[in-house]
Amino acid sequence: MLNVHSIESLGTFDGPGIRLVFFLQGCNFKCLYCANPDTIAFEGGNPYATEDLVAMARRQQPFFGKKGGITVSGGEPLIQAKGLIELFKALKEAGFHTCIDTNGSLLNDDVKELLDYTDLVLLDIKQAQEERHRKLTGRSNARTLAFADYLAQRGKATWIRYVLVPGYSDAEEDLHALGQRLKDMHNVEKLEIQPYHKLGVHKYASLGWEYALSDVPANTAEALLKAKALFQAYVPEVVIN
Amino acid sequence: MFKSGNWQNAIDVRDFVLKNVTPYDGEGEFLCDASARTKHLWQLCLTAISEERANNGVLGIDNEVVSGITSHGPGYIDQEHELIVGLQTDQLLKRAMKPYGGIAVVEKACQEHGLEVSDRVKDIFNNYAKTHNDGVFDVYTPEIRLFRSLGILTGLPDNYARGRIIGDYRRVALYGTDRLIEAKKLDMLGLIGPMTDERIRLREEVAEQIKALGQLRELGAIYGLDLSRPAQSAQEAVQWVYLSYLAAVKEQDGAAMSLGNVSSFLDIYMEHDLQLGLIDENYAQELIDQFVMKLRMVRHLRMDAYNEIFAGDPTWVTEAIGGRLADGRHKVTKTSFRFLQTLYNLGPSPEPNMTILWSNSLPEGFKKFCAQVSIDTSSIQYENDDLMQCTRNSDDYGIACCVSFQEIGKQIQFFGARTNLAKTLLLAINGGRCEMTGKQVLHNIPELKSDLLDLEEVMSNFRLAMKEVGRVYNDAMNIIHYMHDKYYYEKLQMALVDTNPKVNLAYGAAGLSIVADSLSAIKHAKVQVVRNEAGISTDFKIEGDFPCYGNDDDRVDVFAKEIPAYFNKLLKELPTYKNAEPTLSILTITSNVVYGKKTGATPDGRAQGVAFAPGANPMHGRDKSGALASLSSVAKIDYKDSLDGISNTFSIVPKTLGADMEQRKENLVSIMDGYFSKDAHHLNVNVLNREMLEDAMEHPENYPQLTIRVSGYAVNFVRLTRAQQQDVIARSFFETI
Ligand code: SF4
């Protein structure tokens, strides 16, 4: 059983090819720019049985082509690692490509077992510099970085996702710090720069929350390209999503 | 000069294509840009189009001469640059009168543009000649009139030409008119007694066809061309095919007049001339560009009211491209690419309505090229070739109008617009009375026992209502097609079809998603009818959640599957004119807006007047699990129950398809492969930005060519009414979270 916030049948930015994306309810972070703030609370969501989710994947299989598959995102999916083990086991048995989009803050035995059934990890690193990470998320980045090390040690295929927030994570030092962390990780296939946007802002109002980054402008095209060029020195493939 | 076969002994174009076609497995790198001549001509066309728009949508009308195959002298855009010649009248975009559908319509259309039909023509058609429209209204029953006026049946071709029939225009290029006349004369000799009604009618029809072929030959002569003999070069093949099509659109103003599947046929001539070094690629592209340019200039004279049902002045010059042959080879040729290339060389356009016959086994290079064209132009649509071939048993077919299969030269179709199933459901809830006017429409529907709707009870009434609506619809169709044959027979098109072909009777239904969601609400939630003093439903109070069509949820999708199956079964039990085989479409064109206006509040929570979803689409905003779940829901409707077609429109912003062009192409191909492998029938693909459409509403002059696809055809966005534009924008653009 998994607690699901919503389902997107046409995911094109959540792993290779066309993805069926399960957004799970609940997150242990509260990032200032979170575009899905309605997935943060642990209350809410709808319970789904593993069989139903697998059946959904089977129905959608014809759309997956050669590359596509299933991605779990959130919220923070690893909070429900136990339920995910059951789901991913079944999906792997049925021959699907599986992928997890995580903030990397949880690493327990369940998570380790889950990774056995996971083909690709999308690891969201919010900030490589501890102080600035705290400012952005209210938390330390130590666990996320340890998670990255663990993935590297296991040789688990990983794409790094990095939201370029003007003033919060787009300084040159920020980018170099992250590049330094990644440069020797051979499991990292790709780095995706995610432009900062405010498309989720209306959700804050309906949650009665304040949006702290109202004054932050969107990235300029130059800034995005500059960040891309900078990362290319460290990671084999860099894309702007 | 070509490989021999049965095509030499009999009129058998399919055999010629089968023996001589050169399937092409590569990509589009061989394609050429528009030539200087082409660009020059297209510039003149664009100028004429902008004058047309500035002049209230009509550049000119010939109010003196009744249009016919040979009615007008030659017309040119700029003769010395034209490789392919022929216009409907003597002047570009000047429209002609075709009063045999109905003189009142022609008079109205002229008046709306400040003109009067000439006295002579008025005199003839008001005092001597009888029209299709006169015939139909002489015979219509009070019941049919009531159904029409209340909007239970709409868009019936009773005051305009029915269209949909596709002539095999390839025949003229392959055989020339002399040989075709000979063959028809031979058919005539075989049509001996006993002289029953049917036999006499058929003999008269063939006699008309023979005359029309003679006139086609004359049309050639007007342009200095000898159509009596077969075409002898690529240029002649294109020219012969075009003039045959031109003859059809000079004689008829059918709602939709498809071209067929000429591209793989023409490719044989192109290949031949290219092999011999008689032409080069540049010239081959020029021929297709100029052919397509002419097809884009086809116009019919319509009243403004016509625009409500068929928005944007469409002509539906539908050309089917690709697909496979029964022997397993595919029919993608270099000329398939050349047709698509016109969307770059001349810019995007709704016409000709290019339809890709998609098979999962088409070459990857072609699939990706199609995806790219969709992403760049939103001008093409897709249909499932694997499904149609195996269900309909033919590999030589075109698409009639928007989405309907039609075997070329062997079958024809009688067009029948559509009925409103959502309104039919309301008749079931209101004891057979119309919810908008209170008028008693059906007489055998019991009043509901309780206003808390019960699925069993509603379904039982709904079945009765569908049966009655089907009966009246069938009556109307038989009358319409009897009269159309009698007063506005398509003699040229039928001359290019086998004598006495198989006929499909094309019924249609609108409002399927509303019906499915309504039944789901009644079943899974509590729905209470709110009635006015007269006892007519004005609103529905819904308590609780219910699954909506468009989320790949069988609890509701089952209704979307079962209702057309049931209605189709009812229609199949009724007698038809010319023993036509009934088929059903789930299609609305742009009439989903008008239907909405004429339909009261429905049990799914839709308010009175709100537009329907187009075709088989889920209602917008109710598909909550993204685009593919929505496609999966639509794919569940069984093609066998809706053989006239199941239309689905898919609009998406480019970004949602992927981060860059390569990914977008790849993903779109995967979507199409997936959708069609689920036995879905049809898909319109729009890849557009909402902002762009909003801007186009405000500044139409900046977007003369902006094309979008709506339920089976493409239209110029700027030619839609404001309400239709708003409807298109409001409808689901699939943007992911
Ligand atoms: S980790 Fe992701 S879901 Fe959680 S708050 Fe941050 S951005 Fe939102």
Side-chain angles (χ1 to χ4, degrees), chain A residues 24 26-40 73-77 79 101-105 124 126 136-137 163 204 209:
Chain A
L24 304 192
C27 185
N28 54 344
F29 275 24
K30 196 172 171 187
C31 306
L32 295 182
Y33 57 78
C34 180
N36 300 321
D38 46 338
T39 65
I40 295 178
S73 180
E76 174 44 53
I79 294 165
D101 178 10
T102 175
N103 62 26
S105 59
D124 303 298
K126 320 286 180 188
L136 205 48
T137 68
V163 184
Y204 281 78
W209 294 2

Short mmCIF file of all heavy atoms in Angstrom, two decimals, chain A residues 24 26-40 73-77 79 101-105 124 126 136-137 163 204 209, ligand 1:
data_model
loop_
_atom_site.label_atom_id
_atom_site.label_comp_id
_atom_site.label_asym_id
_atom_site.label_seq_id
_atom_site.Cartn_x
_atom_site.Cartn_y
_atom_site.Cartn_z
N LEU A 24 4.24 10.57 -4.55
CA LEU A 24 3.82 10.09 -3.23
C LEU A 24 3.63 11.27 -2.28
O LEU A 24 4.28 12.31 -2.41
CB LEU A 24 4.84 9.11 -2.66
CG LEU A 24 5.16 7.89 -3.54
CD1 LEU A 24 5.94 6.85 -2.74
CD2 LEU A 24 3.91 7.25 -4.13
N GLY A 26 3.82 13.37 1.14
CA GLY A 26 4.64 13.52 2.34
C GLY A 26 6.11 13.77 2.03
O GLY A 26 6.71 13.10 1.22
N CYS A 27 6.67 14.81 2.69
CA CYS A 27 8.10 15.08 2.50
C CYS A 27 8.69 15.53 3.83
O CYS A 27 8.05 16.21 4.62
CB CYS A 27 8.32 16.17 1.45
SG CYS A 27 10.08 16.40 1.09
N ASN A 28 9.93 15.12 4.08
CA ASN A 28 10.63 15.53 5.30
C ASN A 28 11.39 16.84 5.12
O ASN A 28 12.00 17.33 6.03
CB ASN A 28 11.57 14.41 5.75
CG ASN A 28 12.51 13.99 4.64
OD1 ASN A 28 12.29 14.32 3.47
ND2 ASN A 28 13.58 13.30 4.98
N PHE A 29 11.39 17.39 3.91
CA PHE A 29 12.00 18.70 3.67
C PHE A 29 10.89 19.74 3.55
O PHE A 29 9.72 19.38 3.44
CB PHE A 29 12.79 18.70 2.35
CG PHE A 29 14.20 18.17 2.45
CD1 PHE A 29 14.57 17.31 3.47
CD2 PHE A 29 15.16 18.54 1.51
CE1 PHE A 29 15.87 16.81 3.55
CE2 PHE A 29 16.45 18.06 1.58
CZ PHE A 29 16.81 17.20 2.59
N LYS A 30 11.29 20.98 3.53
CA LYS A 30 10.34 22.02 3.17
C LYS A 30 11.13 23.10 2.45
O LYS A 30 11.45 24.14 3.01
CB LYS A 30 9.64 22.55 4.42
CG LYS A 30 8.39 23.35 4.09
CD LYS A 30 7.60 23.72 5.33
CE LYS A 30 6.49 24.68 4.94
NZ LYS A 30 5.78 25.21 6.10
N CYS A 31 11.50 22.78 1.24
CA CYS A 31 12.34 23.69 0.47
C CYS A 31 11.57 24.97 0.16
O CYS A 31 10.37 24.91 -0.11
CB CYS A 31 12.78 23.04 -0.83
SG CYS A 31 13.58 21.46 -0.57
N LEU A 32 12.29 26.08 0.17
CA LEU A 32 11.62 27.37 -0.03
C LEU A 32 10.93 27.46 -1.39
O LEU A 32 9.93 28.14 -1.55
CB LEU A 32 12.63 28.51 0.11
CG LEU A 32 13.26 28.68 1.49
CD1 LEU A 32 14.20 29.88 1.47
CD2 LEU A 32 12.18 28.86 2.55
N TYR A 33 11.51 26.76 -2.37
CA TYR A 33 10.98 26.92 -3.73
C TYR A 33 10.10 25.75 -4.15
O TYR A 33 9.72 25.64 -5.30
CB TYR A 33 12.15 27.05 -4.72
CG TYR A 33 13.09 25.89 -4.69
CD1 TYR A 33 12.76 24.69 -5.31
CD2 TYR A 33 14.31 25.98 -4.03
CE1 TYR A 33 13.62 23.61 -5.26
CE2 TYR A 33 15.17 24.92 -3.97
CZ TYR A 33 14.82 23.72 -4.60
OH TYR A 33 15.67 22.65 -4.55
N CYS A 34 9.83 24.84 -3.24
CA CYS A 34 9.14 23.61 -3.62
C CYS A 34 7.95 23.91 -4.55
O CYS A 34 7.08 24.72 -4.23
CB CYS A 34 8.64 22.87 -2.38
SG CYS A 34 7.77 21.34 -2.81
N ALA A 35 7.93 23.25 -5.70
CA ALA A 35 6.87 23.50 -6.67
C ALA A 35 5.64 22.64 -6.40
O ALA A 35 4.59 22.83 -6.99
CB ALA A 35 7.38 23.25 -8.09
N ASN A 36 5.80 21.67 -5.51
CA ASN A 36 4.66 20.82 -5.17
C ASN A 36 4.39 20.85 -3.67
O ASN A 36 4.40 19.82 -3.00
CB ASN A 36 4.92 19.36 -5.59
CG ASN A 36 5.15 19.22 -7.07
OD1 ASN A 36 4.50 19.88 -7.87
ND2 ASN A 36 6.09 18.37 -7.44
N PRO A 37 4.16 22.03 -3.10
CA PRO A 37 4.03 22.13 -1.64
C PRO A 37 2.87 21.29 -1.11
O PRO A 37 2.89 20.87 0.04
CB PRO A 37 3.79 23.62 -1.41
CG PRO A 37 3.24 24.13 -2.70
CD PRO A 37 3.92 23.33 -3.77
N ASP A 38 1.91 21.02 -1.97
CA ASP A 38 0.77 20.21 -1.53
C ASP A 38 1.14 18.75 -1.32
O ASP A 38 0.33 17.97 -0.83
CB ASP A 38 -0.40 20.34 -2.52
CG ASP A 38 0.05 20.20 -3.96
OD1 ASP A 38 1.25 20.42 -4.24
OD2 ASP A 38 -0.79 19.87 -4.82
N THR A 39 2.35 18.37 -1.69
CA THR A 39 2.77 16.98 -1.45
C THR A 39 3.57 16.86 -0.15
O THR A 39 3.98 15.78 0.24
CB THR A 39 3.66 16.44 -2.59
OG1 THR A 39 4.89 17.19 -2.59
CG2 THR A 39 3.00 16.56 -3.93
N ILE A 40 3.83 17.99 0.52
CA ILE A 40 4.72 17.96 1.68
C ILE A 40 4.06 17.35 2.91
O ILE A 40 4.65 16.50 3.59
CB ILE A 40 5.26 19.38 2.00
CG1 ILE A 40 6.16 19.86 0.83
CG2 ILE A 40 6.05 19.37 3.30
CD1 ILE A 40 6.70 21.25 0.99
N SER A 73 8.06 9.75 -7.43
CA SER A 73 8.55 11.06 -7.04
C SER A 73 7.70 11.51 -5.87
O SER A 73 7.02 10.71 -5.24
CB SER A 73 8.46 11.98 -8.26
OG SER A 73 8.93 13.26 -7.95
N GLY A 74 7.71 12.79 -5.59
CA GLY A 74 6.92 13.21 -4.43
C GLY A 74 6.74 14.69 -4.39
O GLY A 74 6.76 15.33 -5.42
N GLY A 75 6.71 15.06 -3.12
CA GLY A 75 7.06 14.49 -1.83
C GLY A 75 8.42 13.78 -1.83
O GLY A 75 9.21 13.94 -2.73
N GLU A 76 8.62 13.05 -0.78
CA GLU A 76 9.85 12.26 -0.70
C GLU A 76 9.46 10.78 -0.67
O GLU A 76 8.99 10.27 0.35
CB GLU A 76 10.66 12.65 0.55
CG GLU A 76 11.87 11.80 0.79
CD GLU A 76 12.68 11.53 -0.48
OE1 GLU A 76 13.05 12.50 -1.16
OE2 GLU A 76 12.92 10.35 -0.81
N PRO A 77 9.68 10.08 -1.78
CA PRO A 77 9.21 8.70 -1.87
C PRO A 77 9.88 7.74 -0.90
O PRO A 77 9.26 6.77 -0.48
CB PRO A 77 9.51 8.32 -3.32
CG PRO A 77 10.50 9.30 -3.81
CD PRO A 77 10.27 10.55 -3.05
N ILE A 79 10.41 7.85 2.08
CA ILE A 79 9.71 7.70 3.35
C ILE A 79 8.82 6.46 3.31
O ILE A 79 8.60 5.81 4.32
CB ILE A 79 8.86 8.97 3.63
CG1 ILE A 79 9.81 10.15 3.84
CG2 ILE A 79 7.97 8.78 4.86
CD1 ILE A 79 9.13 11.49 3.77
N ASP A 101 12.92 9.42 -7.77
CA ASP A 101 13.33 10.82 -7.69
C ASP A 101 13.33 11.19 -6.20
O ASP A 101 12.28 11.25 -5.57
CB ASP A 101 12.31 11.67 -8.46
CG ASP A 101 12.64 13.15 -8.40
OD1 ASP A 101 13.74 13.51 -7.92
OD2 ASP A 101 11.78 13.95 -8.84
N THR A 102 14.53 11.41 -5.63
CA THR A 102 14.61 11.58 -4.17
C THR A 102 15.50 12.74 -3.75
O THR A 102 16.39 13.15 -4.49
CB THR A 102 15.15 10.28 -3.52
OG1 THR A 102 15.34 10.48 -2.12
CG2 THR A 102 16.47 9.87 -4.14
N ASN A 103 15.24 13.23 -2.52
CA ASN A 103 16.14 14.25 -1.97
C ASN A 103 17.32 13.61 -1.22
O ASN A 103 18.16 14.29 -0.67
CB ASN A 103 15.38 15.25 -1.09
CG ASN A 103 14.75 14.60 0.14
OD1 ASN A 103 15.21 13.54 0.63
ND2 ASN A 103 13.70 15.22 0.67
N GLY A 104 17.34 12.28 -1.17
CA GLY A 104 18.50 11.56 -0.64
C GLY A 104 18.73 11.71 0.84
O GLY A 104 19.85 11.54 1.33
N SER A 105 17.69 12.01 1.60
CA SER A 105 17.90 12.26 3.03
C SER A 105 17.67 11.02 3.89
O SER A 105 17.81 11.07 5.09
CB SER A 105 16.96 13.37 3.49
OG SER A 105 15.63 12.96 3.26
N ASP A 124 18.14 14.66 -6.10
CA ASP A 124 18.03 16.12 -6.04
C ASP A 124 19.01 16.63 -5.01
O ASP A 124 18.83 16.39 -3.81
CB ASP A 124 16.62 16.54 -5.61
CG ASP A 124 15.56 15.97 -6.53
OD1 ASP A 124 15.58 16.31 -7.72
OD2 ASP A 124 14.72 15.17 -6.06
N LYS A 126 20.14 19.99 -3.45
CA LYS A 126 19.64 21.38 -3.46
C LYS A 126 20.78 22.38 -3.41
O LYS A 126 20.69 23.46 -3.96
CB LYS A 126 18.72 21.62 -2.25
CG LYS A 126 17.79 20.47 -1.92
CD LYS A 126 16.66 20.36 -2.90
CE LYS A 126 15.73 19.20 -2.54
NZ LYS A 126 14.74 18.94 -3.55
N LEU A 136 18.21 27.26 2.37
CA LEU A 136 17.24 26.92 1.33
C LEU A 136 16.21 25.89 1.81
O LEU A 136 15.06 25.88 1.38
CB LEU A 136 18.01 26.36 0.13
CG LEU A 136 17.41 26.45 -1.27
CD1 LEU A 136 16.91 27.84 -1.57
CD2 LEU A 136 18.47 26.05 -2.29
N THR A 137 16.66 24.99 2.69
CA THR A 137 15.79 23.86 3.04
C THR A 137 15.54 23.75 4.54
O THR A 137 14.74 22.93 4.96
CB THR A 137 16.44 22.53 2.62
OG1 THR A 137 17.59 22.31 3.43
CG2 THR A 137 16.83 22.53 1.17
N VAL A 163 18.28 22.47 -8.89
CA VAL A 163 17.46 23.64 -9.20
C VAL A 163 18.33 24.89 -9.05
O VAL A 163 18.94 25.10 -8.00
CB VAL A 163 16.24 23.75 -8.27
CG1 VAL A 163 15.36 24.92 -8.69
CG2 VAL A 163 15.44 22.46 -8.30
N TYR A 204 0.68 27.71 -2.83
CA TYR A 204 1.02 28.20 -1.48
C TYR A 204 -0.16 28.96 -0.90
O TYR A 204 -0.52 28.78 0.25
CB TYR A 204 2.26 29.11 -1.53
CG TYR A 204 3.55 28.33 -1.62
CD1 TYR A 204 3.96 27.79 -2.83
CD2 TYR A 204 4.35 28.13 -0.50
CE1 TYR A 204 5.12 27.06 -2.93
CE2 TYR A 204 5.53 27.40 -0.59
CZ TYR A 204 5.91 26.87 -1.82
OH TYR A 204 7.07 26.15 -1.91
N TRP A 209 0.06 29.19 3.03
CA TRP A 209 1.48 29.38 3.35
C TRP A 209 1.99 30.63 2.67
O TRP A 209 1.45 31.07 1.66
CB TRP A 209 2.32 28.21 2.84
CG TRP A 209 2.04 26.90 3.50
CD1 TRP A 209 1.11 26.64 4.46
CD2 TRP A 209 2.67 25.66 3.19
NE1 TRP A 209 1.15 25.32 4.79
CE2 TRP A 209 2.09 24.68 4.04
CE3 TRP A 209 3.69 25.27 2.31
CZ2 TRP A 209 2.49 23.35 4.01
CZ3 TRP A 209 4.09 23.96 2.28
CH2 TRP A 209 3.49 23.00 3.14
S1 SF4 C 1 12.37 17.79 -1.22
FE1 SF4 C 1 11.14 18.09 -3.03
S2 SF4 C 1 9.04 17.72 -2.39
FE2 SF4 C 1 10.27 17.95 -0.54
S3 SF4 C 1 10.03 20.09 -0.07
FE3 SF4 C 1 11.88 19.92 -1.25
S4 SF4 C 1 11.24 20.28 -3.34
FE4 SF4 C 1 9.38 19.88 -2.16
#
